[in-house]
Amino acid sequence: MTVWDRPEPPTRPAPLDRDRIVAAAIALADEGGLDAVSLRKVAARLDAGPMRLYGYISTKQELFDLMLDAVYAEVLPEERPRDWREALRVLAVRTRQAALRHPWLADLLGGRPTLGPNALAVSEATLSALDGVTDVDTGMRAVETVSAYYIGAIRREVANLRAEHATGLSKHDWQRAHGPHVTNMLATGRYPALAKAVHDGADVDPETSFATGLDWVLDAVAAKLTHPPS
């Protein structure tokens, strides 16, 4: 029986429910990442005894599952997407936006699918846009391809934000600090392609980089949907 199938216990002696527990856990994770989340800390934030939480949640993994599903409510499209391309774009963009609000989300993306109602609703909204456009297997591969891109891009962006927070150095501060070493290495002539990229490449902000890569992936998917496998 999953956590979504298991009924909640009575709220006595003090009001408590899974929504309050999950909200407290998300607040802790937003402040300090997943390492800051424990049933004991959540109970303390709710001014409740830790053992009371076990009536609602059996394990820390169940708590993470509930937190992830709560954030999927933020990913769910506000309106029905116009077509499959818009559906996949909305999924990618709204997932990135949610991860920027909740950086710990990057640690829970990928792997086995989550089975909460919000996550299932997101999957339904996405797959329904591909219904009738191509066969089921090709549609699934399309979703997997786009999700592989945006999950990787989100994790990279969040990792950079964490490094900035941990070191106190922005991207440009870090580049300036390491500039002399990079200049000396490029001057050896052993890295001509890298030197060209450093000297001639455009400095693109994360949002533009994400959008550009997403467009390229969607173009590749479109080519496969236009020419389905025989």
Side-chain angles (χ1 to χ4, degrees), residues 4 64-66 68-69 72 108 110-120 123:
W4 292 284
F64 287 169
D65 289 343
L66 289 166
L68 179 58
D69 196 65
Y72 266 113
L108 298 181
R112 292 179 175 176
T114 182
L115 303 177
N118 294 318
L120 294 176
S123 295

Side-chain angles (χ1 to χ4, degrees), residues 60-111:
K60 191 174 182 179
Q61 185 57 54
E62 282 191 351
L63 181 57
F64 287 169
D65 289 343
L66 289 166
M67 292 165 61
L68 179 58
D69 196 65
V71 174
Y72 266 113
E74 302 176 24
V75 177
L76 190 65
E78 296 175 355
E79 300 177 354
R80 182 181 177 87
R82 296 188 300 271
D83 54 30
W84 70 266
R85 187 175 182 120
E86 181 65 15
L88 292 177
R89 181 188 299 281
V90 167
L91 173 63
V93 170
R94 290 179 71 88
T95 302
R96 175 179 177 267
Q97 292 170 341
L100 293 178
R101 290 189 294 269
H102 312 287
W104 52 269
L105 177 63
D107 300 320
L108 298 181
L109 291 174

Side-chain angles (χ1 to χ4, degrees), residues 157-193:
E157 185 173 357
V158 169
N160 284 330
L161 291 172
R162 286 172 174 167
E164 182 174 324
H165 177 75
T167 64
L169 295 175
S170 69
K171 171 186 173 182
H172 295 299
D173 290 337
W174 183 87
Q175 289 173 338
R176 281 191 292 269
H178 292 80
H181 170 71
V182 173
T183 298
N184 290 336
M185 294 302 292
L186 297 182
T188 65
R190 296 198 298 267
Y191 313 101

